Amino acid sequence: MSTLLIIAHDEWRYWRRSKLALVTIIISIVMALTSVVLTTISVADENHQRAHLQQQAEQTFVEQPDRHPHRMVHYGHYLFRNSTPLSTIDPGIDSYTGKAIFLEGHRQNSATFSNQQHSSQLTEFGPLSPAFVLQTIAPLLLILIGYSAISRETEAGTLSFLLAQGLSYWQLLLGKVAALFSVNLLVLSPFILGCLLAASHGESSAIIVTFILSYLVYLLVWTLFIVAISALTNSNNSSFAMLICCWLFACLLLPRIAANTTQYLVEQPSKIENDFAVKAKLRELGDGHNSADPAFLQLKANLLAQYQVEKVEDLPVNFRGIVAKNSEAELTKILNTFAKEQMQRELKQSTTNQLFAWLTPALAIRGLSMQLAGTDISSYHKFLREAEQVRYEFVQSLNKAHAEQLNYQTDINRYQDSQALQNARVSANNWQILNNFEFKPFNAEQRLTQSKLALMQLTFWLIILAVFLGLVGRKSQC
Amino acid sequence: MKDSVISANNLSVAYANQLVLNKVNFSVAQGQIFALLGGNGAGKSTTLKTFLGTLKPQSGSANILGKPVHQHINTSRKQIAYLPESVMLYGHLTAIENIQYFLSLADIKQSVQQIEDALTQVSLQPQAWHNKLSQYSKGMRQKTAIALALLRQAPILFLDEPTSGLDPAAIDEFNQLMSQLAQAGSTIFMVTHDVYGACQVANKIGLLHQGELISLFNAEHNQSIDTETVHKAFVRGIRA
């Protein structure tokens, strides 16, 4: 057996006989396993519900009887976002953003029904996701297990005796690193199982491998740091105190400081401000429900000229339907402009926040994990863009039916009596306009490209900590 | 004269620019027992740490088998077995587990039977062999460490106050054991302030005072060094 393995084996023997270390290791594994199992069950259940609701929403829409087409525009339709396979490990911002969106004419609604909205607000605690366990809890547990790796030897005086046996200081350091790293592998094993499950649900193997390696590197960074600090300090107490302070700063304080600083640096208008700005712009377009609105005089003139008739009643198409279609197109341009600006600001916030990962590896793995899992802000934007495309096509299909299948006279006289209202309907066959919607995250190549910066930051931390341990080793060797 | 196994050549060591050892010179040949005597703060432990490679000399050198330790730390450490004053073995392990662990680190394979033989040789009671060291007295830990030193079969032994904490019978046994080892070819270097113990077992004694080696005594014709002479020199050195 090599010297490193002998030292690692002895460290495990110490942990087995030290109740605190043993309990901590057991807690780590149980917590990891529990979070993976619970999240996997929860995501599978949500996906099942979503698939069911999506089917139900589509069925309800297409089963509507003959109606006035514009009533169907406002009847609307729901789209549901499926979770990505790796969201069982890292739900990312999915817990905060909605997973369902209501599509209707003239509006771009926000996504609704996030987990945070309907479950955790009362307790003010977020869900215990496997990613949270790995990113925040696992380093703390590693500290509890490994803070005394070297300081224990220094404090008890066994260090000089060990070195006198012909053991080099480097062998001792690396043996302790190997022991602590083997704990990482044990804690990671439930996550690796979760990742393999994600692979069986269609996740790319390149993403799975990068995902697992990233977490291994992250925990290795903490392992190197813990052993280096333990070697640098002369007592268990000072090693523990220093490591806990660093953990607090790196995993709890700095991410919050980063979020607050980002909000300050990249300002977002409030929802009310934004809504008022959108409304003001939309008012300039005119009311698409009112074909007599002066805003549509030019459209009316163009149509009359195109079809060489004198009155809208003589047009071969329903002028109200044309107005609705035209108005929706113009309105969508404005809504898309605002939505694009909003997304750019959110992306800028996300990018600015990611810069803080040069100060803490916790932010590096957090960004990287969400990007690889497809649960980051850009993936959410992709869902919003795809949902908007579906909304626009479905509304314009109904407006087209309004313009082409409903007579203008019948349309404007629909409130004269009940028979007139009956007549102002189009066939339910026109509701067969929905294609099966299934949200797909960015492909593996795109996600790997998006995560380049975070990958670089994690590599940077690994190099920094390896150099740090190297310096500590050199300083303490003689 | 035999080649020196342990030697100090103009060895000077300083802590924070304060000279603790000043141009110390001595040599120990194979099979010799060298006792370095001195009062508190004389520089005994500093000399030992320099030979163990945990301190670097400011000038001169501490040599093991002719090679400066600070330049050949790992090869030098492989040649030595070290017995500290307060034996620092692992409290969570038994005597046998401790010995197995330290031997495996030194890449030495010894059977459990050989380990038990060594423990018997140092008079550690068999019923204690499988108890954790946290339950041992200082003397029992000392015996475990001596057994380890024997099993390491290192040609050089460094001992730091080896008989402190041992009862008189155990001291006699220890001295006999050291003599046997020296006769078998081991070279032994011990630091102590026990003049009588040193004279009983050593065939070369160095007297260290305020970082300087003030006297060297050699046993002649297999006779013990005269305790009275060393004691007088020791006291004179302290009062000077």
Side-chain angles (χ1 to χ4, degrees), chain A residues 115-126:
Chain A
N115 284 344
Q116 288 292 310
Q117 279 174 326
H118 64 74
S119 67
S120 300
Q121 268 188 345
L122 291 176
T123 58
E124 290 194 1
F125 285 113

Side-chain angles (χ1 to χ4, degrees), chain B residues 13-238:
Chain B
V13 179
Y15 284 123
N17 292 328
Q18 194 180 347
L19 212 56
V20 183
L21 279 185
N22 189 12
K23 294 183 179 171
V24 171
N25 287 288
F26 61 80
S27 68
V28 187
Q30 191 190 357
Q32 275 192 321
I33 301 177
F34 178 75
L36 190 61
L37 280 171
N40 294 331
K44 301 189 299 291
S45 296
T46 302
T47 310
L48 191 61
K49 283 179 184 173
T50 313
F51 276 99
L52 292 175
T54 52
L55 283 178
K56 265 186 184 173
Q58 189 192 52
S59 62
S61 63
N63 308 308
I64 300 280
L65 296 172
K67 290 178 179 171
V69 174
H70 68 278
Q71 287 172 5
H72 303 87
I73 290 176
N74 292 333
T75 48
S76 298
R77 280 175 179 167
K78 285 191 193 305
Q79 302 298 320
I80 62 172
Y82 166 57
L83 184 66
E85 181 184 3
S86 295
V87 173
M88 298 305 176
L89 296 170
Y90 291 106
H92 66 283
L93 302 181
T94 66
I96 291 180
E97 285 173 340
N98 260 298
I99 290 173
Q100 281 175 328
Y101 177 55
F102 283 103
L103 287 179
S104 62
L105 287 178
D107 202 19
I108 295 168
K109 290 183 178 65
Q110 298 277 20
S111 67
V112 175
Q113 185 58 52
Q114 286 169 309
I115 294 171
E116 288 177 353
D117 289 346
L119 289 171
T120 309
Q121 199 180 347
V122 296
S123 308
L124 189 71
Q125 297 152 331
Q127 57 267 37
W129 292 351
H130 296 284
N131 291 345
K132 287 183 184 168
L133 245 73
S134 54
Q135 299 165 8
Y136 276 28
S137 67
K138 190 179 177 187
M140 288 163 83
R141 288 203 300 273
Q142 190 89 334
K143 286 176 179 177
T144 310
I146 295 167
L148 172 63
L150 293 177
L151 287 160
R152 279 207 57 195
Q153 295 176 332
I156 305 161
L157 260 72
F158 278 90
L159 314 172
D160 189 1
E161 303 287 358
T163 52
S164 87
L166 295 185
D167 58 56
I171 291 173
D172 277 347
E173 286 171 10
F174 175 79
N175 287 341
Q176 278 177 22
L177 194 60
M178 290 303 110
S179 300
Q180 284 169 17
L181 287 172
Q183 278 166 18
S186 294
T187 308
I188 299 167
F189 179 104
M190 63 167 80
V191 298
T192 181
H193 50 242
D194 177 8
V195 177
Y196 298 99
C199 292
Q200 211 177 340
V201 71
N203 39 30
K204 192 167 190 176
I205 292 177
L207 200 53
L208 203 59
H209 179 62
Q210 293 183 342
E212 293 188 10
L213 194 68
I214 54 172
S215 304
L216 263 176
F217 303 93
N218 283 292
E220 287 173 10
H221 312 299
N222 291 329
Q223 300 259 317
S224 293
I225 298 170
D226 180 49
T227 310
E228 198 66 26
T229 313
V230 178
H231 183 255
K232 279 182 183 167
F234 187 86
V235 173
R236 204 171 41 244
I238 289 173

Side-chain angles (χ1 to χ4, degrees), chain A residues 36-62:
Chain A
V36 170
V37 170
L38 290 181
T39 318
T40 305
I41 292 171
S42 160
V43 168
D45 186 46
E46 278 175 23
N47 275 345
H48 179 72
Q49 274 187 37
R50 262 177 240 148
H52 173 68
L53 289 170
Q54 186 68 71
Q55 192 195 9
Q56 202 176 35
E58 283 168 14
Q59 198 177 348
T60 311
F61 187 87
V62 298

